[in-house]
Amino acid sequence: MVNNLISDIIPLKVGRKWVYKPQSTLMSLLGGDVTMEITERNNNIYLLRLSVNNLKTTVIIKSNVDLSVIALGKGHEGSLNDMAEFQEVQNGEILKGPVVTGTEWSNNFGTFKIVNSDYTFKNGTRVIPDCILLHLKDLSNQDNSFCIKRGVGIIHASLYIDNIGRVNIGLKSFN
């Protein structure tokens, strides 16, 4: 039986790091890899630092029954002890638990849908079972998709980024 608990799907802990390789010329020109790292934790609330070369920001996420963005950083600085550097996000669920095919919800980011909770990701000769396929129709009516490997997190994403266009990223390393 597949475990559909958020904490088992995306294991969060201080020091956890995901490095993504952009599969877009423009993103590569911006500085290459995209890095996400958990740097702080307070109960079930985590500080996630994101960076692409000199572009840096922070996000506060909460993991309980759902995985939610609860605040966006105004820059790369800030900590869980000083919320002055963050803008609160209401209704920011990015993954609803339990994770079940067909679950759909809308929020401040757009409309999410779990397309398949037992998805097999295929990219060339790579075949990765036990994934979740999540779609997001964002507020600008653009389609975005995320392939989430249980026990790892996002392994591939196809995103539309304003002023850049369509960007695909693939997981390069994870610890």
Side-chain angles (χ1 to χ4, degrees):
M1 177 165 182
V2 173
N3 195 340
N4 289 325
L5 299 175
I6 297 298
S7 60
D8 292 331
I9 294 168
I10 302 178
L12 302 174
K13 69 176 186 177
V14 173
R16 173 90 358 116
K17 186 180 203 179
W18 299 264
V19 178
Y20 297 92
K21 180 170 181 54
Q23 298 157 348
S24 156
T25 304
L26 183 55
M27 285 296 288
S28 295
L29 293 174
L30 289 176
D33 295 342
V34 176
T35 301
M36 299 188 329
E37 183 175 9
I38 304 288
T39 58
E40 293 181 46
R41 175 186 177 190
N42 184 357
N43 295 320
N44 61 347
I45 297 175
Y46 300 85
L47 182 68
L48 178 66
R49 294 197 188 278
L50 299 128
S51 63
V52 179
N53 198 12
N54 291 327
L55 305 172
K56 301 176 186 207
T57 193
T58 50
V59 177
I60 297 178
I61 56 177
K62 182 177 184 178
S63 178
N64 51 18
V65 174
D66 302 327
L67 181 65
S68 301
V69 172
I70 60 172
L72 298 173
K74 297 175 184 172
H76 193 57
E77 299 304 315
S79 85
L80 294 177
N81 297 324
D82 181 10
M83 295 301 289
E85 292 297 318
F86 295 91
Q87 178 180 349
E88 187 176 350
V89 173
Q90 296 293 321
N91 193 23
E93 299 87 3
I94 54 176
L95 189 58
K96 285 272 199 188
V99 175
V100 177
T101 297
T103 302
E104 191 171 321
W105 66 98
S106 295
N107 62 24
N108 294 332
F109 300 117
T111 301
F112 289 84
K113 182 174 185 178
I114 299 171
V115 176
N116 189 337
S117 61
D118 192 22
Y119 181 69
T120 299
F121 176 73
K122 297 174 185 169
N123 187 1
T125 59
R126 280 178 70 190
V127 177
I128 303 172
D130 201 25
C131 296
I132 296 153
L133 181 59
L134 177 67
H135 280 188
L136 164 63
K137 179 153 306 257
D138 66 25
L139 297 176
S140 62
N141 208 32
Q142 295 294 324
D143 289 315
N144 301 272
S145 64
F146 305 86
C147 181
I148 303 165
K149 169 73 175 150
R150 283 183 173 76
V152 175
I154 298 169
I155 61 169
H156 185 268
S158 177
L159 310 165
Y160 182 83
I161 301 173
D162 291 338
N163 301 320
I164 293 177
R166 176 75 42 206
V167 174
N168 292 308
I169 60 170
L171 185 63
K172 180 176 171 180
S173 66
F174 161 77
N175 72 357

